[in-house]
Amino acid sequence: MMKFFRKIRQNLVSKGKTGKYLKYAIGEIVLVVIGILIALQINNWNDVRKINNQKHSLLQNIKKDLEVDTLNFAETISFLKENTDLKRSLLSLSSFDTVSNDNLFVLISARSTNQTVNTLTFDKLRSLGISKITDNEGLVTELDEYYINKSNILEAFLKWDTEESKETRDYWFFNQNQFEIDVKHFPIKNKSEIFQFGKPIQNRENLIHLLSEPRGRNYVKMDFVRKKLLLEQYRLIYQAAKTLIPKIETELNK
């Protein structure tokens, strides 16, 4: 193509047609500029297409993350509900004489959970410098609310519960000197390797005594309250994740 244009120029110059040459040269420059602009526009379209494809892929991954979150949160909610329901029924009793040893241990175990929001894809989104994954402003706002605000609130509750639960376990396992933890609650295979001092009946009575004292009872009550508050946070964030999934699905199908 360039050889073709060059021959035309040479032919016009050789024939002394300067005016026509100038017009042709200007026309050639215009064509070159148009060609450059078209090439730039095509590159721009390709860049936009690549970014849109990347956003679509990231939105699909966020949907998968949310689906995993709902499964994990549902499992955690089930555990916390079972735990708090049992503790509520035990705390309503005026005597622990008929309560099984396993249920008495549930009262003092102060188990904590660490199930947080899966922010892997959302963090990748931010690291790539993508401020908006979609033009749907409402969906963008809800995603920010879920991954920033609700996630941070949940982590604050988890941190609080973890710290306070550790203090509670420290009391029952190390700081009191009347009750010996039953070896069957230890995570080891051969439990016969650990000898249990004292008579089981007396050990049980000592635990019931501690659970009847203000200090022991306060630890149990505060653990119950924390788990109830944490349960409510998990329910809220579970519902938020569940609500987002169909909205993302609709956005992906546009």
Side-chain angles (χ1 to χ4, degrees):
M1 182 64 72
M2 294 303 295
K3 289 182 179 180
F4 174 73
F5 287 140
R6 191 180 300 113
K7 286 182 179 179
I8 293 177
R9 288 198 303 270
Q10 290 173 350
N11 185 47
L12 290 172
V13 171
S14 64
K15 291 182 179 180
K17 298 179 179 180
T18 307
K20 289 186 177 181
Y21 172 77
L22 290 174
K23 291 179 181 179
Y24 172 80
I26 293 171
E28 185 177 335
I29 292 172
V30 171
L31 287 175
V32 171
V33 170
I34 292 174
I36 291 173
L37 291 175
I38 292 174
L40 289 173
Q41 185 61 46
I42 291 173
N43 286 336
N44 185 52
W45 286 338
N46 286 333
D47 290 341
V48 170
R49 180 178 57 80
K50 288 178 182 178
I51 292 173
N52 287 337
N53 288 341
Q54 186 181 44
K55 287 182 177 181
H56 190 273
S57 177
L58 288 168
L59 198 57
Q60 285 180 319
N61 289 336
I62 283 181
K63 177 175 173 286
K64 292 177 183 178
D65 290 347
L66 288 168
E67 288 170 342
V68 173
D69 277 352
T70 57
L71 293 175
N72 291 334
F73 291 155
E75 184 177 340
T76 302
I77 288 170
S78 178
F79 158 70
L80 288 172
K81 186 178 184 307
E82 182 180 348
N83 183 272
T84 52
D85 285 348
L86 177 57
K87 287 183 177 179
R88 181 193 297 108
S89 65
L90 293 174
L91 286 170
S92 68
L93 300 174
S94 58
S95 171
F96 294 125
D97 291 341
T98 59
V99 178
S100 68
N101 289 342
D102 286 341
N103 282 346
L104 287 177
F105 185 77
V106 170
L107 276 176
I108 68 172
S109 59
R111 286 182 59 189
S112 56
T113 179
N114 60 354
Q115 186 60 57
T116 59
V117 172
N118 179 5
T119 62
L120 184 63
T121 303
F122 188 76
D123 290 340
K124 181 179 180 181
L125 179 73
R126 300 176 77 182
S127 69
L128 290 172
I130 301 175
S131 58
K132 290 171 55 178
I133 196 171
T134 172
D135 292 330
N136 186 333
E137 295 289 349
L139 182 56
V140 170
T141 299
E142 287 189 58
L143 286 170
D144 286 343
E145 176 68 18
Y146 179 81
Y147 281 105
I148 299 175
N149 295 339
K150 284 185 170 59
S151 177
N152 288 341
I153 291 172
L154 177 61
E155 289 188 9
F157 269 91
L158 286 171
K159 182 180 179 182
W160 173 53
D161 180 58
T162 299
E163 292 173 352
E164 295 297 322
S165 294
K166 181 181 182 303
E167 181 180 337
T168 298
R169 290 192 300 272
D170 283 347
Y171 170 73
W172 291 109
F173 280 72
F174 309 114
N175 296 338
Q176 56 82 20
N177 197 33
Q178 300 178 48
F179 170 71
E180 183 180 359
I181 303 298
D182 194 321
V183 68
K184 73 176 182 179
H185 297 298
F186 294 163
I188 58 174
K189 291 183 179 180
N190 191 359
K191 302 184 187 305
S192 62
E193 293 178 343
I194 301 178
F195 180 75
Q196 193 91 3
F197 280 93
K199 296 179 180 180
I201 294 178
Q202 184 61 51
N203 199 48
R204 171 186 166 85
E205 290 177 355
N206 290 344
L207 175 57
I208 291 176
H209 174 71
L210 289 171
L211 285 169
S212 303
E213 289 185 337
R215 186 177 186 183
R217 193 167 180 82
N218 286 341
Y219 271 120
V220 172
K221 286 193 292 185
M222 287 307 301
D223 184 61
F224 169 74
V225 171
R226 286 196 311 276
K227 296 303 189 290
K228 284 287 293 181
L229 293 173
L230 188 57
L231 173 59
E232 184 59 27
Q233 289 302 315
Y234 271 114
R235 282 173 170 162
L236 289 172
I237 204 163
Y238 167 80
Q239 189 58 45
K242 194 174 180 181
T243 301
L244 274 168
I245 292 172
K247 292 183 179 181
I248 293 176
E249 186 68 38
T250 299
E251 192 68 20
L252 288 170
N253 290 332
K254 283 184 179 180

